[in-house]
Amino acid sequence: MRGEESLRTLVGTEGDSLLLMDLNTTETEASEPWDYVLVADRCTQRNPRQVQRQQQFLEELERKGFCYKAREDQEKVFFGIRADNRVFERYRRLLMEPEATAPRGELARPTSIPATTSQLLCSRIRIVHFVLNSKMAAGDTLQDLVKDGVFEAGFPLHKGEEDLKKKWARWRNMFQEQPIGDIRNYFGEKVALYFAWLGWYTYMLVPAAVVGLIIFLSGFALFEASQISREICEAHDVYMCPRSDHNPRYQRLSETCSFAKLTHLFDNEGTVLFAMFMALWATVFLELWKLERARVVLQWDLYGWDEDQEEMALGLTACPDYQPRLHQHSYMRSTVILLLSLLMICLMIGMAHVLVIYRVLAAALFSSALPFLGEQVTTAVVVTGALVHYVSILVMTKINKYVALKLCDFEKPRTFSERESKFTIKFFTLQFFAHFSSLIYTAFILGRINGNPGKSVRLAGLWKLEECHLSGCMMDLFVQMAIIMSLKQTLSNCMEYLGPWLAHKCRFMRATSQDPELRHWQRNYRLSLVNTFSLFDEFMEMMIQYGFTTIFVAAFPLAPLLALFSNLVEIRLDAIKMVWLQRRLVPRKAKDIGTWLQVLEIIGVLAVIANGMVVAFTSEFIPRVVYKYRYGPCRQGAHPAVDCLTGYVNHSLSVFYTKDFQNPVEIEGSENVTECRYRDYGTAQNSSFTEQSWFLLAIRLAFLILFEHVALCAKLIAAWFVPDVPQSVKNEVLKKKHQRLGEAGLPGPGVGPGPESPGTRDTGRRRAQTRSGPGAGQEAKTQSCCHHRPPRPWLCVWGGGL
């Protein structure tokens, strides 16, 4: 088998040498010498055409410098693959710095070359995976052969994961610090940065969760003391107009006493402060993460790592004639993609309207089919509507992913990383509308287009549109947020863990081979499948959660607390999945979380806008403030004996005369009620808007503009105040650059050339031989000037032009 020789020293031309790691020693220390396994069904071995394509593929791999070994069991044929030492040698050479920056007498220093056994294995797996998925001479890649049934699967092997199982992938380690360095050495930088970000996000959720809990609990302190709640509970003689056709009766306002007290828990004076705090928190979180990322990347020696260089190095390792795909742009394709994306967004908005129709029809159905619900029909409609919304999210997630992938393929990205970035933007945009379109309707549209009690807007002229809860639209938004977020955190995590766990138990009930090597391959084969977007799915799940935690947090201050508890579970759940239950992810290099950082910044801006609109238009904060200082008993000054909100409930409810109903006889109790109230600021004669309603609208808009400008200014100040890269990292990078340039530079003033070592002489001769062109002689004169005229060092810089 090729590549079995030991390679202890990489010998350069004319005497230069670079000490390498003993690759044979590494392999013997590892539990398995094979890095990648291909699996084929035994049925394919009966097809001569399939066997021929297998052999062609494996023989071409061998010509490229890869070793393979075939083993069989009763059902499958396994092919172990590993990179020959010469393949890895070629990869290391391609990632070396330019020779001009190397110290005299030495070869260039490698950049980001693995320094440990684990990092070496990661690099070998990455090389094998890239070559397997590159075009072969026959025009096939491993993915093409898997689609055609030539191979059933291909995956890297789990090796040396025992330490991660003990220190990280256990539930009892939930509150322990993550070993990010070990994660990086085993799964690569991409996975390690995900867990570093997730751990930092969870850590930063602690202050947000504490403040949100304080805001929520502060409502309990005023549970009985709220003037508005007291007035609602004592309003036994105030009748509310019928809100729906399924329950046409006048309801006493005092019947909503409990809901009024509950609403005050999250719709109080602290709501505005919490919304401002979360806007600032989102910015500080991002800026501090940038600092943390810079420290981690510097520690990994990837600060100057270039993704294009890595991609080209892998390509040249796979094929000496490799040519990178050039950047290209088509306005026609971009226009088509934009139009299709807008069409999908319209579909997402249409899904929100479907949910509206469901809630209208469900209200009529529940009132007739489930009469025992009585007054709880509205609550049942809200809860089931949230459940239907959650199911629609699950369905649309599958559709959105398929559409986003097709749009990316149509756009023809240059590299996998570029494809992933474009896919991230498209998929997140579709997912955002799928998750938040219904919440946007509930927060800003529900109950505002229904008309007045005498002339209500009806769906298809039959069913009356849904109204907000009697205690306000904040209650509807709170309930929907609580249900959707709780379901996503609980059901999603359960399915994410129980599915692979049950599959793992079922698969491992089968008999295994007695041969240790084949048994190891079988165990890896029976683990759950992973794909190129497995890590992407984890990021997307966290981004959606981050959106729920920030965008409508003014209506649900417990969102950071739920996210904190969920993330503590999520970290260990993902760790257990990746180490115990799933096949090994292909290690990938990265120095940041990529496009996800832009997504976080966009969510931060949307959070400022959405929370400002919730406080201005959904909450009762603005009407209460306007009443207190313009219409209430304190408008001329504070009265210690009188609450400034006294009379607010009566002031905020409009009057409607029952005689103006089209069918007043059909309404239960209409003979005893001459007028009813509804939430609005209309006149009793024709329900038109009053001067007070227009004044209140102007104040809402002014508050929204002021809130957004203050919050955005605070975000900008926080972003300016906290640098993206810590000074210690900048200084360390500066020192390394200075050291590298100092080592590569020529002798300073007063220092002669000194005796020339053989290695230096050879290096200089080789450099002189490679120089050609009209500037070669001038460059030689410059070097002579710098060596023999040390008192004039400026000539060393400008000598080429003098």
Side-chain angles (χ1 to χ4, degrees), residues 131-146:
V131 173
L132 289 176
N133 289 277
S134 301
K135 288 286 186 181
M136 296 294 182
D140 293 327
T141 65
L142 177 60
Q143 294 179 352
D144 298 330
L145 297 179
V146 170

Side-chain angles (χ1 to χ4, degrees), residues 205 274 481 485 548-550 552-553 556-564:
L205 277 174
F274 186 59
M481 281 277 293
M485 195 166 180
F548 278 109
T549 306
T550 54
F552 288 104
V553 72
F556 190 49
L558 295 179
L561 184 63
L562 286 181
L564 175 62

Side-chain angles (χ1 to χ4, degrees), residues 189-194 197 286 289-290 293 297 300 305 307 416-425 535-536 539 543 588-602:
E189 289 79 5
K190 191 81 172 180
V191 174
L193 278 173
Y194 164 72
W197 174 83
L286 280 181
W289 160 247
K290 292 176 184 177
R293 181 206 68 86
V297 170
W300 293 347
W305 174 77
E307 188 172 5
F416 175 80
S417 298
E418 185 176 337
R419 181 172 184 259
E420 188 178 40
S421 177
K422 294 179 181 295
F423 175 73
T424 298
I425 296 173
L535 186 63
F536 175 90
F539 262 117
M543 293 300 155
R588 291 180 56 195
K589 280 189 177 182
K591 62 179 180 180
D592 54 36
I593 59 175
T595 311
W596 295 115
L597 188 61
Q598 302 174 17
V599 171
L600 291 171
E601 292 174 346
I602 293 173

Side-chain angles (χ1 to χ4, degrees), residues 252-481:
R252 296 179 186 271
L253 182 60
S254 58
E255 296 178 11
T256 64
C257 175
S258 300
F259 288 104
K261 293 180 178 180
L262 181 62
T263 303
H264 196 69
L265 294 178
F266 49 86
D267 187 9
N268 52 53
E269 288 71 13
T271 302
V272 179
L273 296 178
F274 186 59
M276 288 287 295
F277 170 80
M278 288 302 296
L280 187 61
W281 175 88
T283 301
V284 173
F285 158 67
L286 280 181
E287 296 303 319
L288 292 181
W289 160 247
K290 292 176 184 177
L291 294 178
E292 181 68 15
R293 181 206 68 86
R295 295 190 187 98
V296 171
V297 170
L298 179 66
Q299 182 181 358
W300 293 347
D301 197 22
L302 288 175
Y303 199 83
W305 174 77
D306 183 76
E307 188 172 5
D308 289 336
Q309 182 182 358
E310 172 76 15
E311 181 253 337
M312 287 187 284
L314 289 172
L316 290 170
T317 302
C319 178
D321 299 329
Y322 167 80
Q323 293 293 330
R325 293 181 59 183
L326 300 180
H327 294 279
Q328 55 181 336
H329 180 265
S330 170
Y331 288 102
M332 179 62 69
R333 281 201 301 267
S334 299
T335 303
V336 172
I337 290 171
L338 178 60
L339 293 176
L340 292 177
S341 300
L342 291 176
L343 181 63
M344 283 299 299
I345 291 174
C346 292
L347 177 62
M348 298 298 105
I349 298 175
M351 289 296 298
H353 288 80
V354 171
L355 293 174
V356 173
I357 296 173
Y358 162 79
R359 291 170 69 158
V360 172
L361 298 179
L365 178 63
F366 289 171
S367 60
S368 59
L370 304 173
F372 61 88
L373 290 177
E375 300 297 330
Q376 304 304 320
V377 169
T378 302
T379 304
V381 169
V382 172
V383 172
T384 56
L387 293 174
V388 172
H389 184 201
Y390 176 73
V391 174
S392 69
I393 288 173
L394 297 180
V395 175
M396 292 309 300
T397 297
K398 303 292 185 182
I399 299 175
N400 290 341
K401 178 177 285 190
Y402 177 80
V403 172
L405 282 174
K406 290 300 181 182
L407 291 177
C408 283
D409 293 338
F410 179 72
E411 197 170 2
K412 297 180 179 179
R414 193 180 70 87
T415 61
F416 175 80
S417 298
E418 185 176 337
R419 181 172 184 259
E420 188 178 40
S421 177
K422 294 179 181 295
F423 175 73
T424 298
I425 296 173
K426 294 175 177 61
F427 189 38
F428 176 79
T429 301
L430 298 179
Q431 285 293 88
F432 176 83
F433 283 96
H435 283 80
F436 293 99
S437 56
S438 179
L439 295 175
I440 292 173
Y441 170 81
T442 302
F444 309 122
I445 301 177
L446 178 63
R448 292 169 175 81
I449 57 174
N450 296 51
N452 58 64
K455 189 179 180 181
S456 58
V457 178
R458 294 179 177 271
L459 181 65
L462 299 175
W463 299 284
K464 186 176 180 180
L465 291 181
E466 185 184 9
E467 297 274 0
C468 286
H469 197 274
L470 277 175
S471 58
C473 294
M474 284 286 279
M475 174 61 71
D476 296 88
L477 187 58
F478 176 85
V479 171
Q480 193 164 356
M481 281 277 293

